[in-house]
C-alpha cells in the first residue's frame, strides 16, 4: 500500500503544477528585485527584465499555463460544468491578462521607460502571485477531489507528453537561465 501511495505522489499532475509554481514564484521574487538596478545600471536592468519576460512567456505561459488550459481545466469542466463558468473561466481570463501585462512591460522597455516597465512588472508579479494562491489553495484542491487516482495518473502522463512535445531540454534550460539571472542579480 505504501508503494502505491508513493507512486501516486510521484505521478501527481497537481504536484507537477505545484513544483512549477515554486519555480515561477522564484522568478517573481527576482522580478521584484530588478527595480534596484534602474538607478545603477539601466542596460543591465533592461537585459535582466527581457530575460525574465522570456522566462515568463516560455516557462510560465507555454509550459505551465498550457497544461492548465489544454489539459487540466477542460478535464475539470467535463467533471463539473459549474466550474467552467466560475473559477476556471477566471483562471483563463487571468492568463490572458498576464499575456497583456507582459506585452506592456516590453513596450515600456522598448521606449526606455524603465520606471513604467517596472510598475507594469510589479502589477504582473502581484497579480500572478494572487493567481498562484487561488490555484494552489482552491483549483488544485478541487482537481484532487474531482478525479480518481487513475484519472489523475492519465492527466499526469498527458502533462509529460506536453513537456516532451514542447521540449524537456528547453524547459530545463529556462530554469537554468533563471538561476543565472538570479546569480547575476545577487552580484550587483
Amino acid at each position: 500500500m505504501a508503494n502505491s501511495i508513493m507512486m501516486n505522489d510521484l505521478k501527481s499532475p497537481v504536484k507537477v503544477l505545484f513544483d512549477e509554481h515554486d519555480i515561477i514564484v522564484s522568478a517573481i521574487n527576482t522580478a521584484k528585485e530588478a527595480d534596484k538596478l534602474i538607478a545603477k545600471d539601466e542596460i543591465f536592468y533592461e537585459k535582466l527584465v527581457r530575460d525574465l519576460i522570456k522566462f515568463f512567456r516560455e516557462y510560465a505561459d507555454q509550459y505551465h499555463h498550457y497544461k492548465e488550459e489544454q489539459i487540466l481545466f477542460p478535464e475539470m469542466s467535463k467533471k463539473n460544468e459549474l466550474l467552467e463558468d466560475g473559477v476556471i473561466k477566471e483562471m483563463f481570463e487571468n492568463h490572458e491578462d498576464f499575456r497583456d501585462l507582459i506585452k506592456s512591460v516590453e513596450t515600456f522597455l522598448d521606449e526606455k521607460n524603465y520606471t513604467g516597465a517596472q510598475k507594469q512588472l510589479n502589477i504582473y508579479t502581484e497579480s500572478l502571485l494572487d493567481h498562484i494562491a487561488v490555484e494552489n489553495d482552491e483549483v488544485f484542491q478541487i482537481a484532487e477531489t474531482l478525479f480518481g487516482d487513475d484519472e489523475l495518473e492519465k492527466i499526469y502522463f498527458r502533462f509529460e507528453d506536453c513537456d516532451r512535445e514542447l521540449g524537456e531540454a528547453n524547459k530545463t534550460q529556462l530554469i537554468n537561465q533563471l538561476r543565472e539571472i538570479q546569480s547575476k542579480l545577487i552580484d550587483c
Side-chain angles (χ1 to χ4, degrees):
M1 184 70 169
N3 283 343
S4 71
I5 291 172
M6 286 175 50
M7 183 66 110
N8 286 338
D9 285 347
L10 292 175
K11 294 184 179 173
S12 167
V14 172
K15 182 176 180 343
V16 169
L17 297 174
F18 272 118
D19 291 347
E20 289 176 351
H21 276 175
D22 288 344
I23 293 165
I24 294 166
V25 168
S26 176
I28 288 170
N29 292 335
T30 302
K32 288 179 175 185
E33 293 292 316
D35 68 336
K36 69 182 182 183
L37 292 174
I38 295 172
K40 282 182 165 181
D41 186 344
E42 289 181 342
I43 293 169
F44 183 57
Y45 171 82
E46 183 174 341
K47 177 168 181 6
L48 182 128
V49 173
R50 288 193 189 279
D51 288 345
L52 285 169
I53 288 170
K54 179 181 188 287
F55 175 84
F56 286 123
R57 278 189 174 144
E58 292 184 23
Y59 187 90
D61 198 34
Q62 291 177 4
Y63 283 90
H64 180 78
H65 292 159
Y66 184 85
K67 286 183 194 102
E68 293 171 341
E69 292 177 357
Q70 299 301 314
I71 301 168
L72 182 66
F73 296 162
E75 291 299 323
M76 290 176 71
S77 295
K78 286 180 197 173
K79 292 288 257 185
N80 183 333
E81 292 177 11
L82 295 176
L83 292 172
E84 187 172 18
D85 288 329
V87 70
I88 291 175
K89 180 179 178 182
E90 180 184 340
M91 297 299 101
F92 273 106
E93 289 170 353
N94 288 171
H95 292 175
E96 283 302 317
D97 291 343
F98 298 148
R99 292 174 187 119
D100 291 341
L101 281 166
I102 285 293
K103 284 180 194 169
S104 177
V105 173
E106 194 168 46
T107 298
F108 278 108
L109 286 178
D110 291 343
E111 296 168 354
K112 306 294 186 208
N113 181 343
Y114 301 124
T115 303
Q118 188 63 39
K119 283 182 185 176
Q120 290 301 299
L121 189 57
N122 290 342
I123 292 168
Y124 171 80
T125 57
E126 288 305 314
S127 299
L128 189 53
L129 280 174
D130 291 343
H131 174 85
I132 287 170
V134 170
E135 286 185 341
N136 286 353
D137 298 341
E138 296 176 36
V139 177
F140 298 163
Q141 304 308 314
I142 293 169
E144 286 190 319
T145 61
L146 276 178
F147 301 114
D149 289 345
D150 289 345
E151 293 167 307
L152 286 169
E153 187 173 65
K154 286 178 185 172
I155 292 169
Y156 170 82
F157 285 120
R158 288 179 64 195
F159 282 6
E160 292 257 301
D161 291 343
C162 179
D163 280 351
R164 253 190 307 283
E165 288 170 16
L166 293 171
E168 291 173 326
N170 186 52
K171 185 178 180 183
T172 301
Q173 184 179 9
L174 288 165
I175 295 167
N176 290 337
Q177 287 171 346
L178 174 62
R179 290 184 183 130
E180 287 176 29
I181 293 167
Q182 292 167 331
S183 69
K184 288 178 186 175
L185 187 59
I186 289 170
D187 293 342
C188 278

